[in-house]
Amino acid sequence: MYGLIRNLLFRLPPEQAHNLALNGLDAINRIGLLSKFSPKIDSFPVNVMGLDFPNPVGLAAGLDKNADHLDALGALGFGFIEVGTVTPLAQPGNPKPRMFRLPEHQAIINRMGFNNEGLEHLLDRVDKRRYQGVLGINVGKNKDTPNEESESDYRKGIRAVYTRADYITVNVSSPNTPGLRDLQFGDSLKQLLASIKDEQLQCQSELGRYVPIAVKIAPDMDDNGIRFVASAMKETGLDGVIATNTTISRDAVANHPRAGEAGGLSGAPVRQASLRVIEGLYAELGESLPIIGVGGITDGESAAEKIRAGAKLVQIYTGFIYRGPDLIREAVEAIRHLEQGGELATAPWVRNRQKNGPA
């Protein structure tokens, strides 16, 4: 069923198809039929950052930037949903077209540029949700805010969403806001993380509630950069790291006609880069700080390998576009199989794929 829907949607421009698909999910959910099209996912609870997740497979930020579709997405079986990136003020993002499919690679290039309706809109939508699952809110800085003033935007975002979020993600790794990735390195990172931690502790003191904060990083770091991030995270006492965002590398799609498009590449080509960062982080952090793995998850194997590399949770986005809700169940079952000591090659879903052919 999803394959047919996807083929029809892929005849439309990507951003138009994206909006149509989400609005369609909302409509089906409102009449109570979405559960009939959603895979049944058995409970597989995990506790990470002090939070109880019904399963370890979540939706990455970017799909629902404004929290407009929380109820429908929440009915698909995700263990958690992350909305955003949201900036203090609404902004239109970059000029269109700004999203491009690479179906041969199960990939997407986007240069959306943090297009969103701003904090006020997102908070209103969150307040009206029926979804009661774990909610992460991803915050960023406005494009026009200079890097030297970025702390103010992140503080505003954290304070605004603090009472609504189960956890907060600080996005310093999108390639589509000029200069943003510079915040991942050196004194800029240490200063920003210290400011974020200070805001978190102030909110905790004033509101009597501790909300964990994770930092989302890029896959394009070298080994020294990974070690530096790990050290800075431990030093400041933040609660988790999300690895990774999209990549600016085009090595894996060099011969594709769209390879020259500016923006971040996501999907299958990011799989190994993301895995390398997770392995590097885990080598430095061990069990002291949880890692959320994201990037290139298109099947159960690519989800489970991130857990094997040291991640405690995973998130999907581009793989979800190409595979639909079945990917959620497949990823959960592959991770469950791995955690129970099974080899991935013997997992039931792998045998079914070998018998029936690829999805």
Side-chain angles (χ1 to χ4, degrees):
M1 172 68 78
Y2 181 76
L4 175 62
I5 295 171
R6 181 195 62 198
N7 291 341
L8 292 173
L9 288 171
F10 274 25
R11 298 185 180 199
L12 300 173
E15 197 166 347
Q16 182 182 351
H18 179 97
N19 295 329
L20 180 62
L22 289 174
N23 290 332
L25 281 177
D26 288 341
I28 296 170
N29 189 54
R30 279 194 296 270
I31 60 177
L33 294 179
L34 190 56
S35 61
K36 297 184 182 300
F37 298 98
S38 302
K40 185 180 185 303
I41 299 174
D42 294 333
S43 178
F44 180 24
V46 292
N47 185 281
V48 180
M49 299 187 295
L51 300 172
D52 293 319
F53 296 80
N55 72 62
V57 179
L59 177 66
L63 193 82
D64 189 7
K65 292 178 180 292
N66 298 304
D68 287 329
H69 311 283
L70 262 173
D71 293 336
L73 292 168
L76 296 177
F78 287 107
F80 59 108
I81 292 176
E82 188 172 314
V83 296
T85 297
V86 62
T87 53
L89 301 176
Q91 57 184 30
N94 293 321
K96 299 177 182 178
R98 53 194 181 182
M99 183 183 289
F100 309 91
R101 301 186 195 98
L102 289 70
E104 306 94 320
H105 299 281
Q106 293 188 76
I108 291 173
I109 292 173
N110 91 83
R111 51 173 179 264
M112 303 299 287
F114 283 177
N115 58 306
N116 73 102
E117 299 297 328
L119 279 167
E120 187 174 343
H121 174 93
L122 180 136
L123 294 175
D124 177 69
R125 300 302 299 161
V126 168
D127 286 344
K128 292 176 179 176
R129 77 190 188 279
R130 292 189 298 275
Y131 169 72
Q132 295 300 306
V134 176
L135 175 65
I137 302 181
N138 185 306
V139 300
K141 80 174 188 73
N142 279 109
K143 179 180 179 179
D144 294 337
T145 302
N147 272 8
E148 57 270 22
E149 299 174 19
S150 60
E151 289 178 23
S152 174
D153 275 12
Y154 285 110
R155 282 182 178 267
K156 287 176 185 175
I158 291 166
R159 180 163 291 270
V161 307
Y162 198 86
T163 59
R164 275 84 160 191
D166 293 302
Y167 73 90
I168 299 168
T169 297
V170 173
N171 189 345
V172 295
S173 53
S174 170
N176 301 319
T177 295
L180 184 70
R181 286 192 171 192
D182 294 342
L183 299 175
Q184 295 180 113
F185 304 103
D187 290 339
S188 294
L189 178 66
K190 287 189 174 181
Q191 183 176 334
L192 177 61
L193 295 186
S195 178
I196 289 166
K197 186 65 182 181
D198 179 68
E199 189 65 34
Q200 179 191 39
L201 294 177
Q202 284 189 36
C203 288
Q204 179 192 18
S205 176
E206 294 169 17
L207 300 168
R209 175 176 178 246
Y210 186 82
V211 177
I213 296 181
V215 177
K216 189 168 187 175
I217 64 171
D220 305 307
M221 293 183 177
D222 61 18
D223 292 344
N224 287 334
I226 294 169
R227 284 192 289 269
F228 183 85
V229 167
S231 174
M233 292 291 294
K234 288 193 289 188
E235 183 179 321
T236 52
L238 288 173
D239 304 283
V241 56
I242 300 181
T244 61
N245 212 317
T246 57
T247 181
I248 57 174
S249 171
R250 295 293 187 269
D251 291 348
V253 297
N255 296 323
H256 194 278
R258 292 291 191 186
E261 295 287 354
L265 174 69
S266 62
V270 191
R271 177 175 176 175
Q272 293 305 317
S274 170
L275 193 64
R276 180 185 67 85
V277 174
I278 293 169
E279 290 172 340
L281 287 171
Y282 190 76
E284 299 295 321
L285 297 171
E287 297 295 317
S288 66
L289 196 75
I291 301 165
I292 300 174
V294 55
I297 296 176
T298 58
D299 56 21
E301 288 172 89
S302 48
E305 73 183 2
K306 285 179 166 40
I307 301 296
R308 188 161 46 198
K312 302 302 180 189
L313 303 166
V314 299
Q315 292 177 320
I316 59 176
Y317 178 173
T318 301
F320 177 66
I321 301 297
Y322 281 95
R323 292 285 315 279
D326 278 346
L327 178 59
I328 308 168
R329 176 173 57 189
E330 186 175 302
V332 171
E333 290 310 310
I335 295 169
R336 188 199 310 273
H337 190 77
L338 181 70
E339 295 287 336
Q340 291 173 347
E343 291 295 327
L344 286 180
T346 66
W349 70 266
V350 175
R351 292 199 301 269
N352 288 339
R353 188 181 65 180
Q354 291 168 344
K355 177 181 178 182
N356 299 321

